Every structure is written in structure tokens, then in C-alpha cells.
Amino acid sequence: MSSSKRYRPSNTDHTSSDDSDSDLDLDLQELDPASSSQHVLRQARPTDQAQQGVRNEYRARQERNGHIPLRNWRPSSLRAQNRMRRGYGELGKRKEEEDEDADGLLLDNYGADDGLRDSMGELPNSEDDAPLLPQGAEKQRLSGERKGRMSRLGSKLSLPRLRPAESRGADHSEDVPQEPEADHDPESMRTVFVGQPQLARYPLNAVSNAKYTSWSFLPRTLYNEFSFFFNMYFLLVALSQIIPPLRIGYLSTYIVPLAFVLIITLGKEALDDIARRRRDAEANSELYTVLHFPHRRERSSPKRKDTGAETLPGAVANEIMKKARDLKVGDILKLKKDHRIPADVIILKSYSNEKSLVAPGRSDLDIDQATKSPNLVDPVTSASPGSTSLEEDRNRTPIESGSEDLSNSVGETFIRTDQLDGETDWKLRLASPISQSLDNNSLGSLEIVAGKPERKVNEFIGTIQVGSRSTHNPDFVRAEPPIGEDEQTTIDETASRSSSISAPLTIDNTAWANTVLASNSIVLAAVVYTGPETRQALSTSASRSKTGLLEYEINSLTKILCLLTFTLSVILVVLQRFESEQSRKWYITIMRFLILFSTIIPISLRVNLDMGKSVYAWFIERDQDIKGAIVRTSTIPEDLGRVEYLLSDKTGTLTQNEMEMKKIHVGTVSYANEAMEEVSSYVRQAFSSQSSDVNQATDLVTPSSTYTLTSNSANATRARREIGLRVRDVVLALAICHNVTPTSEEEDGKSVTTYQASSPDEIAIVRWTDSVGLRLLHRDRKSMVLQSTHSNRVVVRVRILDVFPFTSDGKRMGIVVQFITGRESSEAASDPVDEIWFYQKGADTVMSTIVAANDWLDEETANMAREGLRTLVVGRKKISKQQYTEFASQYREASLALHGREASMSRVVKSFLESDLELLGVTGVEDKLQRDVKPSLELLRNAGVKIWMLTGDKVETARCVAVSAKLVARGQYVHTITKLKRKDLAQDSLDFLRSKTDACLLIDGESLALLLQHYREEFISLAVLLPAVIACRCSPTQKADVAKLIRSYTKKRICCIGDGGNDVSMIQAADVGVGIVGKEGRQASLSADFSIDQFCHLTKLLVWHGRNSYKRSAKLAQFVIHRGLIISVCQTMFSIASRFEPIALYKDWLLVGYATVYTMAPVFSLVLDKDVDEKLANLYPELYKELTTGRSLSYRTFFVWVLVSIYQGGIIQGLSQILVEVNGPRMVSVSFTVLVINELVMVAFEITTWHPVMIFSLLGTALVYFGSIPFLGRYFDLAYVVSWGFVWRVAAISAISLIPPYAAKLLRRTLKPPSYRKVQGL
């Protein structure tokens, strides 16, 4: 419309009661024409010379154009939005700090001198009695200018809205071709169309812990197998039989054993990976509710001349169920309390799912109307980031403001992130004002612009917009302001119409995958990242195939055996003088000798070890003492007995993440355990009513109220009155000084009150005040109501003036409240008195300088700290009305500073409030430990395991848990390194550590990163020597880096244990990864090598099962090597007697049967042996320390077995050739029979603890051998076998080969008994 026809309001009273919905039919430009100029100001960025002219024009437009106050926008809704915008603590601070850009510099003087509008588009002298934008909200005004048209929408405007074809004009949607789906470039920004199909293709939202794919399984497993030397050796030996000059026996003699080994190994890997896929399928099949928009706008046929689209009903969202793996980018999830979030999402809406806790004097209807009123304008923000204030008008002080908002919170929710970053505090998350204000059917009009996927879990930058006309999907038609035929298209109006309504998105608007919704609310969230692009997946390293240390040691031994084989072959050829009776080349002869002696490296070794691992896994999973244990990687059970470093998470691993108030000290007396009953008695007397009539109103209690003991108390002494008064004051302070909100839930048909807050410590304290008699009945941003649990009457009502949330830097939390006095009724409670109190609680390190002088604070906090309790010091201070008014004025002024804002605000608070506080008491909160954590850690320390605790939690929290869990010994010095930013300070800390190697190191993630960057080698060389290290504020990537660094530097076995998704990288980087099945998820358990239910199960897993697995495998490996060596020595003796010709002594079945049927069962029965029982292993954990030295399988033990094999092989073959004949079936029958008997008896000599299976396998194998002799006529002289000459020769040779080694073993055991023999003799 032309300027002359522009709408001008009449000078009528703005307080007209006409609140009809006709306002919705107005052009959006008419709601506030001046706003378009704001958009131009944002886009134009005028130079310094032009700024004054632009500002004058802006003011002229304000004065020239009328503004329509939207009467249905309730202040209560604004306050609710204010809660959503500001949030708790640093959330609001970050959100407001982002607004300090060039727009603020350009527009900082608008309204500063001439007065800020009291409502949207209304001048200060307006007569409207419902101001929307109070003065002083400079930040909010700048934020409103940033949002553009968003702040000018009506409170009941619903988007999208279908417009008639005639008002839209021609539909050009058909002219825009639909782009084909293409893979999205993960390095670029992405635009997500909420609730609609996307232009690009994104990854599937599937969790995968599998190591292999269908096409990578064979290549990877075969590569892993043949990377071991002896597998490659046997492959070459088997392939050599294809060459005729090298062929010695049947090809199957060499191919079948190798194929058998590979089939067993690949089969185990396949079964393990299939089990992982099944567990992944369970997580991926979890069902979620998704909002779906099925109605699509019909597009006109190309043959029709009318190009206008037909008008259909708007897109109506209906709920469908989708599996987690089927979720796509753009899907809208409907989440409820305790739901695990399956993908990275942006929170669109949040609304309460609870029964309102109605405060006295307020009806349900009032609350419902307050919460249901949509609010599409910027919320009223307080003057200070992160703090709340009652200030609503520049002409009214916060104290004089009488209206209270008791509405439930909207647009905000809490999430638990301990499975992502390890932090125990709940995180407040907010919905964007744009999406929160839309109804569900309009969410399809939203577009989200997000950055590229990255692993930083604490950072996010994006935007959300609504009303764009250039959407790719014609299913949704967005409402546009109609254009009048006489309208003059000015620059600012065109810009206003063509731009979409947008708002910034930060980390406060997100919820990452694997976090858990903690609030009792319903949340609608849009998926922006899926599958491998989520923060969780990007912070997780890829699964790797793990190989046990024993495998590497055996691989080294086989190389020595191969060298011995080659040396022996060369010696025999040299002794033959490089000549052969069959005219072979000398190198052919060497190759044939190598093939003959290939049994020195027994191919059955891998079969026996792999089958043994399966037996160990079977024992672990069926151990009744560690029910629920699962072996997910069955290739490394021996490493459980070699662990030297244990890296543990804190939250959910060592602790239950459940806080409990254990102790309180009030200056003269301390209360704990049963003494809490006395506290409850004092509270009951302090808040009791003299009247027995429940319906009669009672007097409200304030800190100035007189404390009187009941008349029937026999001990109503002055001392008891003083103690009772102190107890009342500290309980009242704890019930008020917090950020906890009570909620009501339905459980089994009953209403149950629960609490939600960002800190579990605060919840524990509020629960404690409830248990002693003072319950938090109602809490919102403006007021708080306390109820006596003994009388069920409201006893305290306060108005909240300011809240100063806890920060990691400040380490304290404060609140300013105004007490309401009189009788408990709506009339009496409406007029507060000048009783304003400042309460504060915080860490003793900062509160000791804030509270008044005393002589007991330091001693009591030290006592509680030694007990592992998290201490909080509580104090208070009374403030006059004049003092508070002056404080509020200066605090507001400091909050508007563009430079040094935080420091200025802190100075004001410290000047007016934080000085000479009355010390009320000290509380001690315990983070409940997992069952038997203390004895478990002590046992592991005695076993020689160095324990590191890596957590994402705060430094103070980690210190308390370390003390309470006895990770830090009593009296042990804890060296703390935090917030290092300079190299010289880092060097000083390292120099100090060199002189205190018995100290415990406590370091935060920032300092750890600095040390690893500049002093990597120096730091790790010192850290691995310390008895305990505690690293706080560690990211998942840092945890994995520490694990890899320890592995690479020490070459020792490390075990990592955790329960959350943030521990997955660390678990996978470890040699042994142990996952605990957590309350919030199983991701750590699924990706670990071993899964257990409790931390205390780890001790049995290491000390008992780890010991048995390693000792058994070591004994089994050496015996299998002995079995191969002894037959090779026999072959060597035979070759020498045969004039150095490479002729096989035992052929075909004899060779295969010796390694399988005739010896395998007895040898394999060694996996059931145990040197000590479980009781002794736990009683003497020092026995575990010996395992880490690797003495059970070392070069020393290996060469001992080599000597035994040479002796026994030489005696068996040499005496057989001397007593029988050099060559022939008689010699073979004697030699082979003695060889089998020798192996069976040697197995019996090695057994420490007999098992029925061992006896059965020995006797059974002997019967099988002697029963098979009649079928060996091809190799034996059967007539000779049944003669006495055969019997006495076999007996004599067996005695000579067995008695000397056994006698030497007994002598050594007597002179130098092993440790387990010593403890068995005690």
C-alpha cells in the first residue's frame, strides 16, 4: 500500500477489551512497520559517518508509525520464554554473549536515552497495562532485532497456512525441478528440511560394533592369520608339496592340518562378529515415535492451463513407530523421560508431561492458561546472563513487583550426558523460540542449517528458520503477507517480506546421540546427524582385531624354532658333503630336510590354543560369582592375567551416580546416620503449628521467626534452643538455596514427587530436607513454596529476586529471596515485608574467605574430605530493601557493559553480597560407590596393578571419589595440576613430580593436553611410575590417547573399563577392554572384549580367570612345542643313521595320528589344570604380580623344554636303533610306541590339580592307541609287537627317557619352590 494509505492507529485507549482474533488477519507489516527498517539496518551495516543519520531515521519511523499491542500475549508466557532463553548457569550466559556483535555496536544507543518501548511497538507513555518488553532488557532488544519478523508474529499465528490460489497468484513450484538425491558431502554445511524428504542422501542411523563386513571378512582374517610367522611357514610347506622334487608324503598330510587350523580360527572370528551384529540389531531395532506428515499438496496437471495449486487441508502430523536404524535426517522424534536419544537432534519443542504442583492460592485454570498461551516474541531476559530477576519495568523495583508466575516451564528440558562425556550433572536444553511457538502440524515448515559433522560434543553452530518461500518441497505452503495492489514497495518492506524468520542455534538447543532425556516432559526433536556422523560415533575409534601378548611371544619362539630347523638342515647337508645318493641338488636336499623337520613348529599349536580360549570363555560365562559376564572377544583371555595398568571411568563404573546426604555440621554439633532423627525433631518443632485443625491457616515462617521448643519438652534448655535454632536455619537455607524443581509422576497409579536439576548434589540435599521435615512443594522462576511434612501445611513462601548459578570457576551458588509473612492464605501472602536474605553455598576453598571469621570450618571440611564426602559450606546474609535496590541498579548497569562484563558483575556481587556471611553449617554428600569398590581396588593395587581414573567430571568430584574409593591412600599426597596454559609452568610441575614419585597425580584435560603436546615423553615417563593418576575433564578422544600412549611407551598390557558411550574409544584402544552394563545403555558393553555387571567382578576376572587362562595356555603351548620337538629329534637321529638322506621316519597316518588322536586329548586336558585354588589367589594377590613378568612362558622355560626334548628324542630313537635295528618296521613300532607313552606320562607329570577329565583322557587315549595297533600293519611288524622282546624294550627305553627329567623337576621344586607352592604350604 502507498504511504498515504498506510495504517495509522487512532488515539484511542489501548486498554480496549477487544481481544478478538481479528488481529491475525492483519498484514505482518502492520503489526510493526518499523521492524522492516531494523532488517535494513542489519543488512546494510552503515559506516560510522552514516550511523547517526540512520538512527535519526529509525526514531522518526518509530514516532511516525503506529504500533498495535497484541493483547493476548500474557506476561506469564513471556516469563516462561524468559526461562527458556536464559536457562541455568552458563547456558544463558553463552546465549547472550553471542549477541555481542556488530549489530549491538550499531544499535546500542537506540532507546537508551529516549526510553525503551514497554511493549512491542509501543512507546513508554503508552497506557497499555500489560507491558511486553520492560526497560533495561538491552540484550533482549538486540536479540529481538536479530530475529527480525519473528518478534512481530501474533501469539496464535500458526505456520504454515494455506492461502487461496487467487491470493497466491500463479504457482511456480512446477517450474522448479526436483533435484535427485545425491550423497551429502560431510565436509559441507547441511540444510535439513524438518519433517520432509531431504535433497541429499545421509548415512543410515545404525549402530555397528562389528569388526568385519561381508566382503572384508576373508581378506582381513586371512591377513591377520598369515601375519603370524608359523601360519605363513606352514602355508609355504604345504605349497611346497605341489613341487615334485620336494614332495615327501601325501599332499593332504600338510594341507588338511593347515585348513583345519584356518577353519577353526575363522569360524571363531565369524561367530564373535555374528554375536556382535545380533547385539547391534537389538539396539538398532529399538522403536521410536516419529511425527509423520502424510498429506501432500496435489500439483496441477501439465496439460491444464490453470497453473494454480488446488487448496487442500494443511499437513496434519500423525504418529508412527520407527526403528532406530530407520530414522533419517529431518525426522521429528517424540521423546519422553528416560528415552535414549538415538541420533544427534535439535530440540524443537518441550512441554510438561506431569501433574502440576499447584501452589496455594492458585488455581489449575490459571496455570493452564499461562502455559498454553503461545509466545512468539523474544522472552524477557534479565539484566544478567544466567541470573533471574523480578525486574519488569524501569519504574518498578523488583520488590514492588507483585505478580507471580506459577506456570510450568515450557521449552526447556534436562538431559543426562554421562554416557557421552562422563559428566554427572544434568544439562539444561532449550527449544528455539521459533519452533516452541509453532503447533505440531506446523513443524514441517522449519528448516535447520547445521555445520559439518564433528566430534566436539560441547560446540554447535546453526540456524533455524521458518516461512521461507524457496523450500524444495511443495508439500508445505507457507503463509506470506498479502501484497496490496496500491502498495509502494520500499526497500525495507521488500527485505522484510522476502527474508525468512530465523534464529541462531547453539549447543543449548541440541541433544546428542546416546544421551538420555531426564525431565518428566515430552520433547519433539529433529534429527540432524545420523549413524557414523553423530558426535558419539565420531568420538569412537574403529574396532580393531586384538591379538594377545601370548600369541606374539609364541610367534617369536616359532621363529627361533625355524632357525633351529634351518641350521639343522644345513648341518646335515654339510655332513653329507653336499652330495646325495639320488643325485639331488644340495639346496633341494636342504628344502626336503626343512619339510621333514617342519613338525618342530607344530601346526596343531594354533588349534590347541584357540580351542583352549573357547574353554576359558566358557568358564567365565558360567561362573556363578560373576553372573552376566560375557566374553565378546575370545582371542585374548590370557591377557587378563598380564594386566599392569587399569584405566577406569568414574561415573557408573566406580560410582552409581546416586548422591546421598551423609553428614551435616552446624558449628557446635555434627549429625550423621541415626542422629538425623534429632535433626528431624528440631525441624518438626520449628515448623509446627499450635493448632490441630488442618484446615486452619498457619503463620508463615521466616528466618526472623522466634524458635520455641514445645512446652512438654523436659530438656528445653537454652543450649537446646540455640542448637534447634541453628538446625532450623541451616535446613531452611538448604531448602531454599538451590535450582531444583519438583515434578509429579504417575507410578503404579500413584502420584510420586521427583526432583529435577542440573546437579545431583542439589537433588540429594533437597531430598534430605524432605526426609527431615521440610519439603519443596513448588518452585518456579519467581517463587518457592515449602511444606512441613509433619503437618502437611505450607510453612514458608518466598519470592525469588535473583539466582546466581554454580559455575566451575566460581564454585558457589547463591540466591536472593524475599520472605512472605502473615497467615498462609492468598490475601495474607500478597504483601511481603522487608525481609530479604541472601543465601549462598559453595566449596570450602572459596567460601572460607566469604563467611565471617570462625574457628571450626577448616577442621570440619578437612574431616569430611578425608571421608570422601563432597563438602558444601552454607551461609546467609540479611539485606535491607535500600541495599537491594542499590545492588540491583548497579548489577543491571554492570550487565550492560560490552567489555569486562563478567568481571564487573562479579565485583558488584562481591561488594554488596559476598562479604561477612553468617556461617550456618557444612554438608557432606556422598557419591555412592558401586558394590565392593574399595576392597576391589585394594586387591588390584596389591596385585601390582597401577590404577588410573579418567573421567569427564569436575576436579572436586573426582578428588572426593578417589578418596572415598581408597584410590588415594590415607595420608597420600595428591599433586594437583589444573588450568595450565604456559609451558614454563608445565615444566615446573614435571620437575616437582620427579621428586614425589609416591604422590597421586590429579590433572585436568586442559593441562593434560598441554603436557602431551610439549612434554609428551617426559610426562608419560613420570606418570607411569606413580601409584595412581586421576585425569578430569577428559574428552573421549583424550581417554583413548592416554591408553594408546601408555601402551606404546611401556609395552605393557593395559585394561580399560567403563560403562558409557564416552568410554568406547578408550575400551577399544586398550589391550583388554571391559564394559559394564550401565543404567543408560549398553554401548560400552557391546564394544568391549568382556562385559560384566559390576566393577567388583573385575577382580575375579583378572585375578582368577586371567591367572588360569595365562598359566594354562603357557603350559599348553610349551607342551605342544615339546611334542613337535621330540619327534623332530627322532627324525634327525634317523636321518643321520640313514647316511644323511631326507627320508621320513614316520609317514602318513603315524605323523597325523601322533599330533591328533594319540596325544591331543591328554595334552589339551591341561586347560583344566590349576596351580592354586580361588581362595588362595584372592588371599595372596601378590601371586598375580608374578604373572606380569611372563615367567610362565619365557626364553628360559622354552630352552629348558628344548633340552628335555633333545634328551628324550635322542634316547628314544637312539636306543630303538641300537636295541632293535637301524631301519625297518620293528624299529618303527618300538620307537613310535615309546614316543606315545612318553607323551602321556609327561602330561601326567605336568598336572598340578587332577580333574576327572584328565584321568579319562589319559586312560582313554592309551586304550585307543593300543586298540589301533592291529590296524597299523602297514607301518608295524605286528608279529613282533605281541612278543616279550617288544615289551621289555619299550619299558626300558621309556624308563630311561622319563625318570631323569622327572627327578630333575622334583629336585628343583625342593630347592627353589615356586611361589604358589610356598603359599600352599602355609
Side-chain angles (χ1 to χ4, degrees), residues 440-597:
N440 293 354
N441 294 334
S442 303
L443 294 178
S445 61
L446 294 171
E447 295 177 10
I448 296 173
V449 178
K452 65 180 182 180
E454 55 182 339
R455 65 175 59 181
K456 297 178 181 178
V457 297
N458 294 319
E459 294 181 14
F460 177 76
I461 297 177
T463 59
I464 186 171
Q465 61 185 14
V466 67
S468 172
R469 296 191 300 175
S470 59
T471 179
H472 79 289
N473 193 337
D475 299 349
F476 301 91
V477 181
R478 301 200 165 69
E480 298 177 25
I483 303 175
E485 57 183 2
D486 296 329
E487 181 176 9
Q488 178 182 356
T489 307
T490 59
I491 296 176
D492 54 350
E493 289 168 345
T494 302
S496 179
R497 285 198 306 272
S498 62
S499 67
S500 61
I501 307 164
S502 62
L505 294 174
T506 66
I507 187 66
D508 302 341
N509 309 114
T510 64
W512 301 138
N514 216 37
T515 57
V516 178
L517 191 64
S519 299
N520 185 27
S521 59
I522 295 177
V523 171
L524 300 182
V527 177
V528 289
Y529 303 110
T530 54
E533 294 183 346
T534 61
R535 266 22 180 210
Q536 175 71 61
L538 292 174
S539 299
T540 304
S541 57
S543 299
R544 65 184 181 94
S545 297
K546 296 184 180 180
T547 305
L549 181 59
L550 188 73
E551 301 274 1
Y552 291 114
E553 291 173 343
I554 292 175
N555 198 47
S556 300
L557 297 180
T558 55
K559 293 178 182 178
I560 297 176
L561 292 175
C562 183
L563 181 61
L564 290 176
T565 304
F566 180 76
T567 303
L568 185 58
S569 301
V570 172
I571 290 174
L572 292 177
V573 173
V574 170
L575 293 175
Q576 196 182 15
R577 298 180 181 179
F578 296 95
E579 296 178 359
S580 175
E581 292 183 358
Q582 300 180 8
S583 300
R584 296 190 187 96
K585 298 291 186 181
W586 64 269
Y587 54 85
I588 298 293
T589 305
I590 291 178
M591 294 294 294
R592 287 177 64 86
F593 272 124
L594 283 173
I595 295 169
L596 281 175
F597 297 147

Side-chain angles (χ1 to χ4, degrees), residues 262-283:
L262 293 179
I263 290 173
I264 292 293
T265 307
L266 269 62
K268 277 179 73 285
E269 283 290 315
L271 290 176
D272 288 345
D273 214 49
I274 289 172
R276 292 189 194 96
R277 289 182 176 275
R278 285 175 179 170
R279 291 186 291 268
D280 290 342
E282 292 179 9

Side-chain angles (χ1 to χ4, degrees), residues 1103 1175-1184 1319 1322:
V1103 175
K1175 183 179 179 181
L1176 280 177
N1178 291 325
L1179 186 61
Y1180 299 101
E1182 293 79 6
L1183 293 174
Y1184 183 87
V1319 299
L1322 295 178

Side-chain angles (χ1 to χ4, degrees), residues 145-163:
E145 291 164 354
R146 180 182 299 275
K147 283 189 173 59
R149 285 174 21 192
M150 182 61 203
S151 60
R152 295 189 296 279
L153 289 176
S155 65
K156 294 187 178 180
L157 182 62
S158 176
L159 292 175
R161 185 192 305 173
L162 289 171
R163 294 180 293 108

Side-chain angles (χ1 to χ4, degrees), residues 120-131:
M120 180 55 69
E122 186 175 4
L123 296 177
N125 60 357
S126 170
E127 298 177 4
D128 194 321
D129 60 352

Side-chain angles (χ1 to χ4, degrees), residues 37-46 103 495 499:
S37 63
Q38 298 178 20
H39 180 81
V40 174
L41 289 174
R42 293 171 53 206
Q43 301 293 334
R45 307 284 182 182
D103 293 302
S499 67

